[in-house]
Amino acid sequence: MITSTSTIVLLAVSLVFAVHSASAFCTTNFPSSQHHYHKILHSTSNDGETEPTVPSLTTSSEISRRSVVSNLIAAAAVTVTSSGTLPQPSFALASNDNAVTLNSQNKKSFPLASFGLQIYNDDVAYKLTLMALEVGYRNFFASVLAGNQKGFARAVKDSGIPREELYICGTVLSNRVNGEDAAYKKTAQGCLENMQAFSVGKIDKLDMIMLDYPGTNDESIRGQWKAFEEMKSQKLVDDLAVSNFSPTQLDAILINPDATKPTVNQLPFSVAFHPRDILEYNKKRDVLVQSWSPLSRVIGRYGSDLGSIGKKYGKSAAQVGLRWIVQSGSAFCTQSKSRSHFEEDLNVFDFELSTEEMKRIGQLAA
């Protein structure tokens, strides 16, 4: 009999990720804030809620991963603990720290705020990347799902900013195939396609490559990881990362003591959605959580509370929500088409929420 809420939520998360891995990725039906990034790609309007925009391979009948996670956790009667406290981060953070060193001990630090490109054409990607660079972003999440890595790469080249000042992450989508060999081949193909796209901007090495989704089983995951480790051995990338991985899926890699550790696990994590186990199981494995939905369902529900706290620091509700993520021990990936929103999202490293404020914010979704 399961008697631990921690066990229940881990089983719930593991089940939904296993179900989700059988498809390439899913559409979403949850509301979001005006201008912030979601792993499930969206077009964004400053006039209100975002509307989902997905590649043709996705159908409306596919499940919403996040809604299923939420429903499973709700059914198990699991919520954030009544204290509203979260585990201490495994990465040292201070109010003026905007980057961390990952478990790879890469000499290039990982900026906690990242710009994630959405589904729009290469020309839009080019313009927004230049805007983000001008504002001060140095960490970029250029997913293959967005289909505009070439536009991003051209912007990097034309910006004149030295490549060594930038942290660039590409992604591979290879979760539809089954079995170690098939997953290895599909992932290796994805790695090659990333390098071909980025070469348009004379980018011949990545700082990170990330699996958009885990394979359908342990063998498939190990096939995916084998291809990533080969890419690293070829000195085409420094850090290896994953997205949407449950504890058991991480362990499919880590069961091999000689395997390269995943450095980052990109997951939904926000003021509105933060089961404590999400941070705990990654911290236990020395993996940094990066939120792919930092303000989804946050501003509409808790904007007044966050804004009230922000007045003390001269910060907006969005900035307080992002700062809470950072102080909880996570990084975040955001997006915008507005320079003012880019600046707002990046300007969260010059203040620090009090212990009481962290606790109060952590209880909002309880």
Side-chain angles (χ1 to χ4, degrees):
M1 175 181 292
I2 297 174
T3 58
S4 162
T5 57
S6 175
T7 303
I8 293 172
V9 73
L10 289 180
L11 287 174
V13 172
S14 298
L15 175 59
V16 70
F17 284 133
V19 171
H20 175 72
S21 296
S23 62
F25 56 98
C26 61
T27 59
T28 183
N29 55 12
F30 54 83
S32 65
S33 61
Q34 294 183 31
H35 62 282
H36 294 89
Y37 176 82
H38 305 284
K39 178 71 173 183
I40 308 301
L41 301 166
H42 283 67
S43 62
T44 310
S45 167
N46 287 329
D47 298 326
E49 304 298 342
T50 60
E51 293 297 329
T53 303
V54 295
S56 58
L57 62 86
T58 303
T59 67
S60 60
S61 63
E62 289 177 314
I63 62 172
S64 163
R65 176 186 60 222
R66 178 161 179 175
S67 64
V68 173
V69 172
S70 300
N71 291 339
L72 284 172
I73 292 174
V78 178
T79 61
V80 179
T81 59
S82 58
S83 68
T85 59
L86 291 166
Q88 291 298 307
S90 57
F91 300 83
L93 300 173
S95 60
N96 61 346
D97 285 341
N98 60 10
V100 296
T101 299
L102 299 175
N103 64 34
S104 62
Q105 299 304 308
N106 186 345
K107 292 182 180 179
K108 183 183 289 188
S109 59
F110 182 81
L112 293 172
S114 172
F115 168 45
L117 283 78
Q118 296 290 283
I119 294 180
Y120 29 64
N121 63 37
D122 283 314
D123 289 340
V124 174
Y126 178 89
K127 294 175 182 178
L128 293 180
T129 300
L130 286 178
M131 183 187 298
L133 286 164
E134 291 169 1
V135 167
Y137 282 84
R138 292 297 181 264
N139 189 348
F140 292 87
F141 178 74
S143 172
V144 66
L145 294 175
N148 49 32
Q149 290 176 322
K150 292 181 179 180
F152 161 77
R154 284 197 294 268
V156 168
K157 180 182 68 174
D158 292 348
S159 72
I161 295 176
R163 173 66 182 87
E164 60 269 20
E165 293 184 12
L166 305 178
Y167 193 100
I168 298 173
C169 175
T171 76
V172 171
L173 183 67
S174 59
N175 63 306
R176 276 193 159 186
V177 297
N178 186 34
E180 183 171 349
D181 187 59
Y184 163 75
K185 290 178 180 177
K186 184 66 175 177
T187 305
Q189 176 188 347
C191 293
L192 177 61
E193 290 170 352
N194 269 264
M195 299 312 299
Q196 290 173 337
F198 287 122
S199 68
V200 171
K202 299 189 182 302
I203 299 171
D204 56 10
K205 182 179 181 179
L206 299 181
D207 299 290
M208 177 179 286
I209 191 73
M210 178 182 290
L211 287 172
D212 270 306
Y213 296 96
T216 56
N217 51 45
D218 288 359
E219 290 72 23
S220 299
I221 291 172
R222 284 192 278 272
Q224 292 175 308
W225 208 245
K226 177 183 177 182
F228 267 20
E229 290 188 313
E230 284 191 2
M231 186 180 183
K232 180 176 174 66
S233 70
Q234 294 165 359
K235 301 188 183 305
L236 296 175
V237 67
D238 286 325
D239 295 328
L240 309 183
V242 298
S243 182
N244 306 308
F245 268 56
S246 70
T248 55
Q249 289 163 338
L250 286 174
D251 289 342
I253 297 170
L254 297 174
I255 193 172
N256 177 1
D258 297 323
T260 303
K261 275 189 174 183
T263 55
V264 168
N265 190 5
Q266 201 179 74
L267 293 165
F269 181 76
S270 68
V271 170
F273 183 80
H274 52 276
R276 62 181 292 118
D277 300 82
I278 285 180
L279 291 184
E280 284 186 341
Y281 77 72
N282 285 282
K283 176 186 175 183
K284 180 180 178 181
R285 293 160 177 81
D286 200 22
V287 176
L288 175 68
V289 170
Q290 182 184 47
S291 170
W292 56 247
S293 56
L295 290 172
S296 179
R297 304 170 79 175
V298 172
I299 304 304
R301 294 184 179 187
Y302 312 115
S304 178
D305 296 281
L306 299 176
S308 177
I309 293 173
K311 288 180 181 179
K312 172 182 174 182
Y313 305 100
K315 298 295 182 180
S316 68
Q319 288 172 315
V320 172
L322 294 175
R323 182 65 203 178
W324 181 88
I325 289 173
V326 170
Q327 284 185 226
S328 295
S330 176
F332 64 86
C333 193
T334 187
Q335 76 91 28
S336 179
K337 291 185 179 180
S338 162
R339 178 181 291 271
S340 63
H341 286 154
F342 270 129
E343 292 172 343
E344 179 183 356
D345 292 350
L346 194 59
N347 189 21
V348 298
F349 299 102
D350 59 350
F351 74 108
E352 186 168 5
L353 298 168
S354 69
T355 301
E356 180 58 34
E357 288 165 340
M358 287 292 292
K359 178 179 178 181
R360 175 182 166 190
I361 295 169
Q363 290 176 326
L364 290 176

